[in-house]
Amino acid sequence: MNLVEGLLSGNRLALTRLLTQVENDTDEGRAALTELFPHTGKAHLIGVTGSPGTGKSSLVNQLALHFRKQEDRRVAVVAVDPSSPFTGGAVLGDRVRMRDLAGDPHVFIRSMASRGSLGGLAQATAGLVQVFDAAGFDIILIETVGAGQAEVEIARLAHTTLVVEAPGLGDDIQAIKAGILEIADILVVNKADRPGVESTLRSLRSALELAHPVRHVFQHHGQVEVVEAPDEPIYNSWIPPIQQTVATEGTGIAELVAEINQHAEHLRQSGDWAARERSRLGSELDAMLQEMLVARFREQVSEARYDEVLEQVFQRELAPWEAVKMLLNGRLE
Amino acid sequence: MNLVEGLLSGNRLALTRLLTQVENDTDEGRAALTELFPHTGKAHLIGVTGSPGTGKSSLVNQLALHFRKQEDRRVAVVAVDPSSPFTGGAVLGDRVRMRDLAGDPHVFIRSMASRGSLGGLAQATAGLVQVFDAAGFDIILIETVGAGQAEVEIARLAHTTLVVEAPGLGDDIQAIKAGILEIADILVVNKADRPGVESTLRSLRSALELAHPVRHVFQHHGQVEVVEAPDEPIYNSWIPPIQQTVATEGTGIAELVAEINQHAEHLRQSGDWAARERSRLGSELDAMLQEMLVARFREQVSEARYDEVLEQVFQRELAPWEAVKMLLNGRLE
């Protein structure tokens, strides 16, 4: 079976096989991505990120269910767990949690544990997303476990990024990061029936105020200048709404989906959809360039030579920057 | 003032200035690292990682206090926050929390928020650690906020890695990651006076059992083979102890420090100290090589040419892998 043709004609086995090829970054996977690329660019990519314990998985489950049943969209889920770098196994429970959608050919869930480098993970995720996009999935949910930089980099793949919080997750200062808020298009307070929800909402509102100020205050040579904030191109007048949900009961899901659709509409009207696509493809290109450059270097420098230089560094005879210059500058035997 | 000489003779201002140069990756910073490199390799690097809400900062504070006051060691703390990639500010409260040690010239704390790429962050951390090492700090605590892959990569800098947990941080499955456990040399259950501590300990013990099995089960062509686990070189018979602490009250800190010292002793006797140094320096060298390769590529390809190729990708006229090949293969105008 030609996997690319199979995939484009809706064959599920071809889809599964291609996902594996792409995840493992095989030559066949790369060739397929190249063939499939002209068929991509149609799906709405939705990133879902947030700390452990916020109930992201249930939320993603409910979103998939709603998009599928109420809006008749084809839904793919890519669940990425960057904090399991060694075991290589998928997130516990992921594979069984979509029982409500089992057997529906228009829903597909794929879990991916971390594989070596972070760059590799982001690249593999981008590849899987392209396969789903080319296969005609309308909605692609990219779920990341955790709220570190890894997750931020993966969230950058998305058109719409949901940041999920929940009441009572330890210190608010630590749980609600300004950095993570700045990537949020929609804030979700899940488990909103729990005690402490008011305090979480308050913290989020004041953090939002910081992240999306109506004024900028500049300090320059001791002078303070207050300037009305221009519509920054990346946000372009979109102020992230805060949506409360109780995913386990389906509460707030319809409202959340409405906001997601509004955000997509906003992106298209403001021109930000194209801007995000361009920035996403740019990052992808950079990651690939980097990989190829390193691969070429490895071909040019023998392993023995590399080990020899590393040993000199280990012996403190050579500083790392000197070693790099030596390896790069002509002494390539 | 010559900063390198100043630093080596114990000048604190020279230290502060060099840390800034290195963090900003200036030419002066790189030159200084090269000069300082022969003076490094003496400090005990201790990584402290774990989810938000576990009380890592208090724990690090207490460890620094104990190493300083009870063991008369010179202590540096590098606090890294990879989840604030945009604001560039330091972790709230970090700068004030060391009041117990204020004015002591043999303690130094440096906070660092994320700066662009993750690779850049790990590299900057490695640089700061080298400066402290050369300056004669005996103990360097590297604290990371969060428990994602970013933190894992930074933890790899350390000789001894502490993974901190606390009772009641949401789903145990999510909070206690097998992946993160595999990098732990010592497990700390902080806030051990809280309800739920027994359940946390139980989860950790069974997760440890998975991460450090006494037997390996191999499956090969349908045959199941059970083999006694050899002493794997990286662990070399070290089974991570679980230490309970209540950092805010100082409970368990002396015991934890004893275990940290035992681990250092174990590393030295088993030869793992050298193995970890070698692997650490190898990663550092790789990251630098990658950076230099990308910088060289940027010099060779004009921005206009790059933008033109990116636009073709955006228009779906060219797939990313094709674009990379085109940029790399001679068409470098």
Side-chain angles (χ1 to χ4, degrees):
Chain A
M1 173 170 61
N2 179 308
L3 293 184
V4 169
E5 283 171 24
L7 175 114
L8 292 174
S9 66
N11 184 305
R12 201 172 169 94
L13 185 60
L15 170 61
T16 309
R17 286 202 184 150
L18 265 185
L19 290 171
T20 303
Q21 298 288 347
V22 167
E23 193 177 344
N24 294 336
D25 197 22
T26 64
D27 288 341
E28 187 173 4
R30 288 193 185 186
L33 282 182
T34 297
E35 267 190 85
L36 290 174
F37 189 68
H39 301 275
T40 62
K42 293 180 291 273
H44 183 190
L45 315 187
I46 304 168
V48 184
T49 190
S51 302
T54 50
K56 274 187 308 297
S57 295
S58 307
L59 189 76
V60 166
N61 195 356
Q62 288 293 322
L63 285 174
L65 203 62
H66 192 97
F67 275 118
R68 183 75 208 108
K69 302 263 158 131
Q70 309 299 319
E71 312 215 336
D72 198 25
R73 318 279 282 273
R74 298 186 67 201
V75 183
V77 177
V78 182
V80 188
D81 185 354
S83 61
S84 302
F86 298 95
T87 43
V91 184
L92 243 82
D94 253 356
R95 297 198 186 281
V96 293
R97 71 172 191 210
M98 296 293 279
R99 260 170 296 193
D100 293 333
L101 295 164
D104 181 338
H106 299 303
V107 172
F108 203 105
I109 180 164
R110 182 88 179 187
S111 294
M112 187 166 58
S114 176
R115 32 202 331 95
S117 77
L118 180 61
L121 184 64
Q123 199 174 315
T125 307
L128 294 190
V129 165
Q130 278 175 24
V131 173
F132 281 123
D133 191 350
F137 285 89
D138 307 301
I139 299 286
I140 304 175
L141 292 154
I142 306 163
E143 173 192 346
T144 61
V145 176
Q149 176 140 358
E151 295 70 28
V152 171
E153 299 207 351
I154 289 159
R156 281 188 178 149
L157 283 172
H159 299 108
T160 302
T161 301
L162 274 53
V163 172
V164 188
E165 295 287 345
L169 282 180
D171 308 344
D172 282 352
I173 291 175
Q174 288 192 305
I176 302 164
K177 294 279 174 201
I180 216 87
L181 281 189
E182 283 170 50
I183 62 158
D185 298 305
I186 299 172
L187 284 158
V188 183
V189 177
N190 193 30
K191 304 186 177 179
D193 54 348
R194 293 223 178 154
V197 66
E198 278 311 323
S199 140
T200 304
L201 287 170
R202 254 196 315 278
S203 307
L204 280 177
R205 279 188 207 111
S206 52
L208 259 187
E209 180 62 24
L210 277 175
H212 300 272
V214 286
R215 278 181 205 87
H216 285 304
V217 179
F218 295 103
Q219 214 170 346
H220 189 63
H221 295 303
Q223 301 286 320
V224 174
E225 193 187 354
V226 178
V227 177
E228 297 300 310
D231 284 347
E232 290 168 37
I234 195 166
Y235 295 111
N236 219 341
S237 83
W238 175 266
I239 303 287
I242 302 177
Q243 178 63 48
Q244 299 181 51
T245 55
V246 186
T248 48
E249 295 170 9
T251 313
I253 300 298
E255 292 82 352
L256 180 55
V257 167
E259 281 162 345
I260 291 171
N261 290 337
Q262 261 167 42
H263 185 250
E265 192 51 36
H266 162 80
L267 286 179
R268 288 207 184 85
Q269 287 187 357
S270 64
D272 278 358
W273 185 281
R276 289 194 183 199
E277 279 286 300
R278 207 179 291 261
S279 133
R280 183 165 71 83
L281 292 169
S283 307
E284 207 178 316
L285 205 57
D286 285 347
M288 286 176 172
L289 270 169
Q290 200 164 302
E291 188 188 321
M292 287 290 280
L293 286 166
V294 171
R296 288 194 172 195
F297 169 79
R298 292 257 157 84
E299 279 169 19
Q300 287 170 332
V301 177
S302 76
E303 208 162 315
R305 172 69 181 146
Y306 179 88
D307 288 347
E308 189 190 308
V309 170
L310 178 58
E311 181 61 26
Q312 283 182 277
V313 172
F314 178 66
Q315 298 297 343
R316 257 79 185 172
E317 293 162 13
L318 202 60
W321 278 118
E322 293 172 315
V324 168
K325 277 185 210 143
M326 192 177 282
L327 284 168
L328 288 177
N329 288 341
R331 304 209 203 171
L332 313 174
E333 304 134 39
Chain B
M1 173 171 64
N2 179 308
L3 294 184
V4 169
E5 282 172 24
L7 175 114
L8 292 175
S9 67
N11 184 304
R12 201 171 168 93
L13 185 60
L15 170 61
T16 310
R17 287 202 183 149
L18 265 185
L19 290 170
T20 303
Q21 298 288 347
V22 167
E23 192 177 342
N24 295 335
D25 198 21
T26 64
D27 287 342
E28 189 174 3
R30 288 194 187 187
L33 282 182
T34 297
E35 268 190 86
L36 291 174
F37 189 69
H39 302 274
T40 63
K42 292 180 291 274
H44 183 191
L45 315 186
I46 304 169
V48 183
T49 191
S51 302
T54 50
K56 274 187 309 295
S57 296
S58 308
L59 189 76
V60 167
N61 195 357
Q62 288 294 322
L63 285 174
L65 202 63
H66 192 98
F67 275 118
R68 183 74 207 109
K69 304 262 158 130
Q70 310 299 319
E71 311 216 336
D72 198 26
R73 317 280 281 274
R74 299 187 65 202
V75 184
V77 177
V78 182
V80 188
D81 185 354
S83 61
S84 302
F86 298 95
T87 42
V91 184
L92 244 80
D94 253 357
R95 298 197 185 281
V96 293
R97 71 174 191 207
M98 296 292 279
R99 261 169 296 196
D100 292 333
L101 295 164
D104 181 337
H106 299 304
V107 172
F108 204 105
I109 179 164
R110 182 89 181 187
S111 294
M112 188 166 56
S114 178
R115 33 204 327 96
S117 78
L118 179 62
L121 184 64
Q123 199 174 313
T125 307
L128 295 189
V129 165
Q130 277 175 24
V131 173
F132 282 123
D133 190 350
F137 286 88
D138 308 301
I139 299 287
I140 304 175
L141 292 153
I142 306 163
E143 172 192 347
T144 62
V145 175
Q149 176 140 0
E151 295 70 28
V152 171
E153 299 207 350
I154 289 159
R156 281 188 180 149
L157 283 172
H159 298 108
T160 302
T161 301
L162 274 53
V163 172
V164 188
E165 296 287 346
L169 283 179
D171 307 345
D172 282 352
I173 291 174
Q174 288 192 307
I176 302 163
K177 294 281 175 203
I180 216 88
L181 281 188
E182 283 171 50
I183 63 159
D185 298 306
I186 299 172
L187 284 158
V188 183
V189 177
N190 193 29
K191 303 186 177 179
D193 54 348
R194 293 226 178 150
V197 65
E198 277 311 320
S199 141
T200 304
L201 288 169
R202 253 196 316 277
S203 307
L204 281 176
R205 279 189 208 110
S206 52
L208 261 187
E209 179 63 23
L210 278 173
H212 300 272
V214 286
R215 280 182 202 87
H216 287 302
V217 179
F218 295 100
Q219 215 170 345
H220 188 65
H221 296 304
Q223 300 287 319
V224 174
E225 192 186 357
V226 178
V227 178
E228 296 302 308
D231 284 348
E232 292 168 36
I234 194 166
Y235 296 110
N236 219 342
S237 83
W238 175 266
I239 302 288
I242 302 177
Q243 179 62 48
Q244 299 182 50
T245 55
V246 185
T248 49
E249 296 170 7
T251 313
I253 300 299
E255 292 83 351
L256 180 55
V257 168
E259 279 162 346
I260 292 171
N261 290 337
Q262 260 167 43
H263 185 251
E265 193 49 37
H266 162 81
L267 286 179
R268 287 206 184 85
Q269 287 188 355
S270 64
D272 278 359
W273 185 281
R276 289 194 182 200
E277 278 286 301
R278 207 178 293 260
S279 133
R280 183 165 71 84
L281 291 169
S283 308
E284 208 179 315
L285 204 57
D286 285 347
M288 287 176 171
L289 271 169
Q290 198 164 304
E291 188 188 321
M292 286 291 280
L293 287 167
V294 171
R296 289 195 171 190
F297 168 79
R298 292 256 157 86
E299 280 170 20
Q300 286 170 333
V301 178
S302 75
E303 209 162 315
R305 172 68 181 147
Y306 179 87
D307 288 347
E308 189 190 309
V309 169
L310 178 57
E311 181 62 27
Q312 282 180 278
V313 172
F314 178 65
Q315 298 297 344
R316 258 79 185 172
E317 292 162 15
L318 202 60
W321 278 118
E322 292 172 315
V324 168
K325 277 187 211 143
M326 193 178 280
L327 284 168
L328 288 178
N329 288 341
R331 305 208 203 173
L332 312 176
E333 302 135 39

